[in-house]
Amino acid sequence: DVQMTQSPSYLAASPGESVSISCKASKSISNNLAWYQEKPGKANKLLIHSGSTLQSGTPSRFSGSGSGTDFTLTIRSLESEDFAVYYCQQYNEYPPTFGAGTKLELK
Amino acid sequence: EVQLVESGGGLVQPGRSLKLSCAASGFTFSNYYMAWVRQAPTKGLEWVAYISTGGGSTYYRDSVKGRFTISRDNAKSTLYLQMDSLRSEDTATYYCTTTRVYPYVMDAWGQGASVTVSS
């Protein structure tokens, strides 16, 4: 299985700041990578697929980049609603696999 | 608006069975592959099973193959997960998901059904 390694595991930031989350695949996955947001009491949300394509409804302050093995999720000008857990997931190979998650906390 | 509502979770003894259901609405259920994803307590997300539009093709992660069965009733817009020979490591919240954007991309999620396997 393709191993997905996210870093950091925890990230503390303040509203208005920009943050980046890294996701590395154990082998090339082309651009077949998605990012998800998990918040307590809410359904998980698909933010980005195909490495950089924003899903409908995802605010433009979110962006994804990368291809091959290295990917980044960037959130510009953090808003209070962005504090959550973020997961990357590869779907280039079966079975699809997720990263362990990055918890973005309020500083 | 897409809605996915899971039901059927609960506490079950090791070796016993449980069947989860997911009622879907807000989209044409029969047109899309569907999947189950789980999350064990304090752990990350793990894909479990996947089913084609008509139900004729199914896919499972190795650890549940032969024990879990994914199925669907398109007339009722409902997805199922029959879980047999349950083990303690199956303890998790199980999420029903749609895959309308791309195969294995989970574009909508339910709130989850909690399954605890314990004696």
Side-chain angles (χ1 to χ4, degrees), chain A residues 5-21:
Chain A
T5 302
Q6 279 185 243
S7 62
S9 299
Y10 297 92
L11 184 55
S14 301
E17 292 183 351
S18 294
V19 297
S20 291
I21 298 169

Side-chain angles (χ1 to χ4, degrees), chain A residues 74-96:
Chain A
T74 300
I75 313 171
R76 294 181 293 103
S77 300
L78 279 167
E79 298 194 6
S80 57
E81 65 202 47
D82 300 335
F83 294 95
V85 180
Y86 293 89
Y87 293 93
C88 62
Q89 177 228 333
Q90 70 82 20
Y91 52 94
N92 189 65
E93 284 193 13
Y94 176 88

Side-chain angles (χ1 to χ4, degrees), chain B residues 50-96:
Chain B
Y50 191 55
I51 187 167
S52 61
T53 52
S57 296
T58 56
Y59 309 84
Y60 302 92
R61 68 178 302 104
D62 286 347
S63 61
V64 308
K65 214 171 283 185
R67 299 189 299 121
F68 288 14
T69 303
I70 187 172
S71 62
R72 64 192 297 162
D73 184 335
N74 286 340
K76 295 182 177 179
S77 295
T78 301
L79 178 71
Y80 303 100
L81 185 66
Q82 175 69 45
M83 302 183 291
D84 298 324
S85 302
L86 281 162
R87 305 168 180 168
S88 58
E89 55 263 37
D90 296 319
T91 294
T93 298
Y94 286 74
Y95 298 98
C96 167

